[in-house]
Amino acid sequence: KLQFLYLIDQPTMQAAAPLLAAAALSGASDQCTFTIYNETLCSHAPYKNLRQINMAACCQACQVDNQCNAFEFEGGADPEHGSCQLSLVPASSPQTAKGVTCGTRAPLPPPGPAPKVPADFDCSIRRLALQYGKHIMAPIDASHDLYEALQLGPDCGDATPKSPRAAVHVGRYEGGAVHVWLSPDGDDKATGLSKGQPWQTLVRAVEFLASTPAAARPPTTVHLLPGTYNLDSTLELGPEHSGTEGSPVRFVAEEGPQSVSLSGGASLQGAQWVKSDPAALAAAGVAAPGPSVEIWEATLDKGLWAGPSMSTLFAGEQRQIRARWPNGNPEVYCARDLHGGNGCTGYAQTSLKRKTYAKACETCRLGGNVTNLYIHSKGSGQMIYDGTMPPYDKVHNITVETPEAFYSPKVEYSTHQAYEMPAGVRSPAGSFQLDRFDTSITKAFWNTAVPSHMYTESWTPRALAHPELLTVHTYQSEYWGSWSFEVGAIALMEDGECHVSFTKGGFQEARGGPIGGMGGRGVRQDFYIENAFEELDAAREFYFNASTRTLYIATNGSQHPSDMGLVAPRHEVLVRVGGSGSAKEGLKAAVAHITFEGIAFEHTTPSFMQPHEPTAGGDWSVRRSGGVVIEWAKDIAMEGCTFRSLEGNAVLMQHWVRGSRVTGSDFHDIGATPLMLVGSTDGADGTRGTQPWGNTLSRNYAR
């Protein structure tokens, strides 16, 4: 049974009872019932023609033209609605002709007025359909699409409607759902309704989502056709883009996993490459390249690369290496790392005879501890935790509502271990400690520091024109974690050792310690330097001269840069799915019910020199960023996705996150952590629930 029921109460609809006939043209069945409720329309003159119009429409759609007289017209009062009911119902005789059942869909009748129907009356039908369509689809303005579908221009001479949001189109509805389409070769001025008329950018799809409140939006699927979608900026999804439990929002790779990627990089395909002049390189102090290594260069205009610097580069999925000394591949595991093995290549060693410490802590006893933080239970008054928290010249007493069963005093974990310069050891001239953490963001549990310089027993023999552009990568003294520092200056000592001063860094972990001497694992600290033009001498190395905007790259001799698929990442975060809240006040507004299926996320910038944050009770630190950041959110899903060529974290869930999941996904070539979940606290108070709870990470593969 096919039934069309319309409750019409708009004054603009009162002149157009014929909406029923327009509805009949969309299909038919073995029983066609058209019902309309409106007192004004019940007495409207066009009803005398309603029987003929609807019967003709139903018969045409069912291919039973010779049985139109089998329909009967019924009318009368409707007690429930207090108005009148006009229906078309089939008579008792069978509705078949020419071997075709009335319920069989057939080609629609040609456009134009139905036979024997006055043109003005037919146009009234269409105008009502336009008005009612605008009514039920608000706040999405679909005037233009409906106008074209109803042929109001060619058949009725109506002017094209002006839309206040002419760029917004309704998606294709199927079974009560909305479907819109994207393609890297699409056009954001297209309708977005089908594969043949896709939009081009995810920004356009996000605008479409925001045009309809979640409560009024049907289930919505954004179909991504194959290709790479380059993001000009971080894609932001907030509460206004949310779905609901019954009407989720899905971003789907239309042709399956690996067919679609979201890239934060800029393609350098248009660069004009030439081989570098060996004499010019030698004059600039560049080391002679290795066997079969060729150096190429290209000047990048701002239309190709707008960045002031270039910290990373990819050739396809292969990470390239900023020109470094000693030569080596940081992606190759070395037995010395964490285990004190020998035979590692690509590293130099810090000084054995000179050990540098951070400046002595002014507010705590050297080598001892200071306790100025006391957390008590509100119920019993029992102290459940003590430790340290800046500022150290004040005592902090905090009372929290905490289930007693989960806590007991653990004084052994609250002792403060200072790694500053030991008593009796004279600090080298000019020594000071680097300010590693912004304690206005997180109160560090460990009051640790790192030296502002180091000594090395070996260094590159080449004179480096711009030491201030260098980065030193090394390890914490016990190989507890890695450190990276920006260099300030380099000075050669009388005995041949080198003194290297730092301007920033050391915040990549939170334990701290000295640099130099024999480390805690019985080995010296390894290090290497990068971003030295003079060290551009091995395949896969690159260097970007920001002043001349020249990119240099070393290839193995058989490669031309134009054939390498070079991409330079521009963004640290590709997609942020987040509502709002704070550690002090808790959740304010959540984004919800958004799923990404089968999509690859690639090409982000390194995060190791971006500010890090120590955790509330540990000796490590984190960078709150990632290829995908999920925060203040619930029921967000990443299913069957790929995360690759990301120089920072891949997925970060932080603050208040509930019921979200990352499943069946592949992680490879990740610069930091594949999956990281981090909460937030108001000082030492984490009772607002601002931590990820009840989320699922399953069947993922990290390599």
Side-chain angles (χ1 to χ4, degrees), residues 240-256:
E240 68 274 22
H241 307 113
S242 291
T244 63
E245 184 174 3
S247 298
V249 172
R250 300 166 60 233
F251 291 84
V252 178
E254 178 65 13
E255 296 188 10

Side-chain angles (χ1 to χ4, degrees), residues 331-353:
E331 297 175 344
V332 176
Y333 176 76
C334 178
R336 181 189 290 275
D337 299 356
L338 300 180
H339 298 291
N342 294 311
C344 293
T345 60
Y347 295 92
Q349 283 72 48
T350 56
S351 173
L352 182 61
K353 61 184 179 182

Side-chain angles (χ1 to χ4, degrees), residues 346-368:
Y347 295 92
Q349 283 72 48
T350 56
S351 173
L352 182 61
K353 61 184 179 182
R354 289 186 174 97
K355 191 173 186 178
T356 57
Y357 300 86
K359 182 181 178 181
C361 177
E362 297 177 355
T363 59
C364 60
R365 296 187 299 274
L366 295 179

